[in-house]
Amino acid sequence: MNHPMPHLGFGTFRLEGQTAFDSVTLALNAGYRHIDTAQIYGNEQAVGDAIQASGIAREDIFLTTKVWTDNFSRELFIPSVQESLRQLGTSDVDLLLIHWPLKNQEVDMADYLASLKQAQDLGLTRQIGISNFTLAHMEQAVQILGKDVLLTNQIEVHPYLQNRQVTEYCRALGMRVTGYMPFAYGAVLQDPVIQAIAEKHQATAAQVVLAWMRQQGFVTIPSSTKQANIESNLDADRLTLDETDLADIAALDRGHRVANPDFAPAWD
């Protein structure tokens, strides 16, 4: 049985070793029940250890990992997922994502999406999705797998990069948007507009951004190593922004992209 993906998750990008273990432990203790990791983060073992040490039942946690591009070939895909599960200490994940579409077509998308679906059919993951897919990639993916098969497209979304074309196309396809980098490495938190809204509601700038994400219907996965931030981010659920706030944040969009490695696709 698939349980729904909580709209606020805990991201683990750039958290390694003991830091990853400690941060996930803090998040679980604070009440997060959605944890996001990836093969390339190198922290699946630490994340799995923290989940097991928490004493929280595995079925109460929505766990996501992502297959790295080096593992897209048919020979490597399923074994790499099995290795992820071994490190995470679980028989399955709730959501398995393709981390990035391949720019060089070294492995055909039809092949690696077939492997992704195979992982689901084998019971290694309950649901499947994609990450960093453009409009053209999403269209191709739906042609390959059909509609309503992919749960989400995980993409960079924050007030400075609202990615409207992609988010609207996700909705049209019945795919949820999971927005990563919600604070754009803290840049958005320094914005005077965000800070003014925070002051108005007696909230933190981070809570304003997370409330905005929630009210747009996005899932989001902020990461932090500080207990105070981890806990206060959860309290964003108590905040509701008004129409003026939402209009002010809508006007902040400036196409400011943080995650743009050399292997990234041609963005929309």
Side-chain angles (χ1 to χ4, degrees):
M1 151 124 182
N2 295 328
H3 54 301
M5 174 164 54
H7 67 83
L8 183 61
F10 186 77
T12 62
F13 177 55
R14 291 193 163 173
L15 303 181
E16 292 176 8
Q18 192 64 40
T19 305
F21 178 90
D22 292 345
S23 300
V24 171
T25 298
L26 286 171
L28 291 170
N29 287 344
Y32 288 81
R33 292 296 179 265
H34 173 187
I35 307 292
D36 180 279
T37 182
Q39 292 176 348
I40 196 66
Y41 298 171
N43 62 16
E44 288 174 314
Q45 183 78 50
V47 169
D49 288 349
I51 288 171
Q52 285 171 68
S54 73
I56 297 162
R58 170 65 189 89
E59 58 267 23
D60 292 337
I61 297 171
F62 190 98
L63 181 60
T64 300
T65 195
K66 313 175 196 85
V67 179
W68 187 243
T69 54
D70 290 352
N71 296 323
F72 281 3
S73 71
R74 284 186 183 266
E75 302 76 45
L76 297 178
F77 197 104
I78 296 297
S80 85
V81 176
Q82 290 167 330
E83 175 57 19
S84 289
L85 297 177
R86 188 191 68 75
Q87 291 192 43
L88 289 164
T90 184
S91 57
D92 62 10
V93 286
D94 296 277
L95 177 61
L96 185 69
L97 303 179
I98 294 293
H99 204 152
W100 288 84
L102 278 185
K103 198 173 184 176
N104 56 16
Q105 301 298 312
E106 205 173 290
V107 180
D108 194 83
M109 190 190 289
D111 279 353
Y112 61 80
L113 288 182
S115 296
L116 181 68
K117 186 70 180 76
Q118 185 190 6
Q120 184 181 30
D121 293 341
L122 289 171
L124 306 179
T125 180
R126 298 177 189 200
Q127 301 188 77
I128 57 175
I130 50 182
S131 183
N132 299 301
F133 273 45
T134 64
L135 298 175
H137 288 127
M138 283 193 285
E139 189 176 3
Q140 197 182 339
V142 169
Q143 282 171 357
I144 293 165
L145 291 178
K147 216 175 161 190
D148 302 322
V149 176
L150 297 165
L151 177 69
T152 190
N153 186 10
Q154 187 177 119
I155 53 174
E156 183 179 342
V157 179
H158 45 74
Y160 286 174
L161 182 73
Q162 297 183 24
N163 229 330
R164 289 191 182 101
Q165 263 189 303
V166 178
T167 59
E168 283 163 18
Y169 194 51
C170 284
R171 287 196 181 105
L173 293 172
M175 234 181 270
R176 291 197 74 177
V177 172
T178 302
Y180 67 75
M181 307 278 190
F183 310 136
Y185 285 148
V188 170
L189 303 182
Q190 306 305 316
D191 191 279
V193 172
I194 299 289
Q195 291 186 341
I197 295 170
E199 200 173 326
K200 170 178 149 185
H201 291 281
Q202 296 183 305
T204 66
Q207 286 169 347
V208 169
V209 174
L210 297 176
W212 173 77
M213 299 284 281
R214 184 189 78 243
Q215 286 177 243
Q216 302 298 310
F218 303 147
V219 173
T220 191
I221 46 170
S223 107
S224 180
T225 56
K226 298 186 176 72
Q227 183 172 357
N229 293 344
I230 287 169
E231 290 173 356
S232 76
N233 286 351
L234 266 186
D235 288 338
D237 277 1
R238 299 178 192 169
L239 173 62
T240 301
L241 305 177
D242 61 36
E243 292 304 318
T244 309
D245 301 331
L246 296 174
D248 288 346
I249 295 173
L252 294 177
D253 194 8
R254 59 193 67 175
H256 172 71
R257 190 178 292 280
V258 177
N260 198 18
D262 55 9
F263 51 81
W267 300 113
D268 297 300

